Amino acid sequence: MINKSDDDILEMFRDEATKDEAFGLLLKKYQERLYWQIRKIVISHDDTDDVLQNTCVKIWKGLGNFHSQSQLFTWLYRISTNEALSFLKEKQRKHFGSGNGELEELLLASLESDPYFDGDKAQLELQKAIVLLPEKQRLVFNMKYFDEMKYEEISSILQTSVGALKASYHHAVKKIESFLISREV
Amino acid sequence: MKNDNPYKVPENYFDNLGAQIQEKIKQEENKFEQVEEKRSLLVQLKPYMWMAASIFVLVFAARIILSVSISPEYKIASFGNEALQANAHVDSVEAANNEVDAQFFDDLKDATSDDIIDYLSDSDIDTDILLANL
């Protein structure tokens, strides 16, 4: 059942009799990938759980109107990315009020206190370096380095040109290298 | 450096995730339905609320218009007219009575002695009034 194509799932979803079953199949197929996409942005597992649930509610509401001009997975990825970024902005606003507090501080705190981080010292330093990147570079680096996505896929998710993405990734790699060298990793 | 994912999730997290999400969606739908019910009740009541508001405005406007048209000056003027009419009525009654009295005494000039004696012998006549008019 899990091998159903996206088109089959969408067709089932548009039929009221099979709508719930279709959404269950969609979740089984994509929930892990969406989780990791969000987790790399918000860092903490608990925050990721909240954001993922809100993302899935939005997907449920919008899936009936989804048309296959773009790939379903691209659309899902875009919703989860936007939801995660909105969550971070809201968290920053709540934490710092109208002040100019740095989002990186919050992310570093989440990273250091996260009980579900299983990496060694070098991986922790790498994650710190990633957290300190500007938002766009962080997104691109995670998608390219960890998810091994093609620039074309990233381009359709982030709606940025391939050239700009390549430049962002290049800058991100340089900054991470500098950070790791400074930390003697 | 390996590009392995250093994060982990609680045990069996993904096993229950689908059910949790579908439960959350049901809760959201129930909330949405409750909001829709409230909204539909408001939509149903809206015409009646408009009707009540229109009646109130009409009554209020009518009261204002009436209070302006029946001004205090108008009320005083109309009261004066009524008083004049009442006075005129009293005057006309007195004039009529005087006319009857004059007629009576004119008729009395032509009366004979026998008529007077018969008249005076009538026990219903008040002699005091009669003597006062002689």
Side-chain angles (χ1 to χ4, degrees):
Chain A
M1 285 293 279
I2 201 135
N3 292 326
K4 277 193 180 295
S5 70
D6 289 349
D7 287 339
D8 291 341
I9 291 173
L10 283 171
E11 203 173 316
M12 283 173 71
F13 188 82
R14 288 184 188 117
D15 182 353
E16 277 299 321
T18 53
K19 190 174 182 176
D20 287 344
E21 188 191 348
F23 198 70
L25 290 173
L26 185 86
L27 287 177
K28 276 187 183 163
K29 191 170 180 179
Y30 290 115
Q31 64 183 11
E32 281 198 45
R33 280 196 269 177
L34 294 179
Y35 173 90
W36 291 117
Q37 167 68 0
I38 296 166
R39 179 77 183 267
K40 287 188 193 103
I41 298 171
V42 301
I43 307 294
S44 140
H45 165 74
D46 291 337
D47 289 348
T48 305
D49 189 49
D50 288 344
V51 175
L52 180 61
Q53 293 200 15
N54 291 337
T55 301
C56 290
V57 171
K58 288 199 173 171
I59 291 168
W60 166 269
K61 286 177 182 171
L63 194 60
N65 299 321
F66 175 78
H67 299 292
S68 307
Q69 287 108 349
S70 61
Q71 276 193 327
L72 179 62
F73 181 62
T74 305
W75 182 72
L76 299 176
Y77 235 96
R78 197 181 303 146
I79 292 175
S80 59
T81 304
N82 289 340
E83 196 67 20
L85 293 175
S86 300
F87 173 85
L88 284 185
K89 285 192 177 80
E90 183 64 16
K91 189 174 179 177
Q92 186 182 16
R93 193 187 61 77
K94 276 183 188 166
H95 200 84
F96 296 111
S98 56
N100 293 321
E102 293 294 327
L103 181 61
E104 290 78 14
E105 285 176 38
L106 289 177
L107 292 176
L108 277 176
S110 293
L111 181 63
E112 284 165 352
S113 62
D114 189 0
Y116 299 110
F117 185 84
D118 200 24
D120 55 21
K121 187 177 178 297
Q123 282 172 322
L124 180 63
E125 292 302 321
L126 173 62
Q127 289 303 318
K128 283 181 183 174
I130 295 169
V131 158
L132 293 172
L133 292 172
E135 180 185 289
K136 187 67 126 237
Q137 290 177 21
R138 193 153 50 90
L139 291 173
V140 176
F141 185 83
N142 278 329
M143 288 184 196
K144 188 73 190 153
Y145 184 76
F146 290 107
D147 301 339
E148 296 175 342
M149 291 172 78
K150 292 175 184 166
Y151 280 118
E152 286 73 19
E153 284 176 308
I154 302 171
S155 169
S156 58
I157 292 163
L158 299 181
Q159 296 180 308
T160 308
S161 70
V162 170
L165 292 175
K166 284 181 179 173
S168 289
Y169 183 72
H170 176 75
H171 289 302
V173 170
K174 289 287 171 202
K175 285 179 187 172
I176 290 169
E177 278 174 0
S178 302
F179 180 86
L180 294 177
I181 289 166
S182 71
R183 294 295 184 108
E184 297 175 351
V185 177
Chain B
M1 189 180 291
K2 291 185 292 179
N3 57 356
D4 289 343
N5 181 4
Y7 298 103
K8 60 177 184 175
V9 293
E11 213 169 319
N12 303 324
Y13 173 71
F14 289 115
D15 297 345
N16 304 320
L17 185 61
Q20 279 178 19
I21 288 168
Q22 289 196 318
E23 184 61 31
K24 170 134 184 165
I25 287 168
K26 273 183 193 164
Q27 286 173 4
E28 290 284 325
E29 283 195 328
N30 287 340
K31 269 190 212 167
F32 179 74
E33 278 169 16
Q34 283 172 358
V35 169
E36 281 297 300
E37 273 175 23
K38 278 185 189 170
R39 193 177 296 166
S40 70
L41 184 66
L42 269 178
V43 168
Q44 282 176 8
L45 288 176
K46 212 171 181 180
Y48 298 106
M49 288 161 77
W50 272 111
M51 212 180 286
S54 306
I55 290 169
F56 176 78
V57 168
L58 278 175
V59 168
F60 189 69
R63 282 195 64 154
I64 289 174
I65 291 165
L66 286 174
S67 68
V68 167
S69 64
I70 305 176
S71 61
E73 292 80 7
Y74 177 81
K75 282 179 184 168
I76 289 166
S78 62
F79 175 76
N81 286 339
E82 280 169 16
L84 283 173
Q85 280 173 359
N87 286 340
H89 177 70
V90 169
D91 289 348
S92 66
V93 168
E94 274 183 10
N97 285 340
N98 289 340
E99 200 173 317
V100 168
D101 289 346
Q103 182 67 38
F104 174 79
F105 289 109
D106 282 349
D107 291 347
L108 204 60
K109 285 176 189 170
D110 300 330
T112 63
S113 306
D114 291 334
D115 293 334
I116 295 168
I117 290 165
D118 288 342
Y119 182 75
L120 292 174
S121 62
D122 189 343
S123 59
D124 290 341
I125 298 297
D126 187 344
T127 50
D128 291 338
I129 295 172
L130 190 65
L131 288 171
N133 281 288
L134 283 175

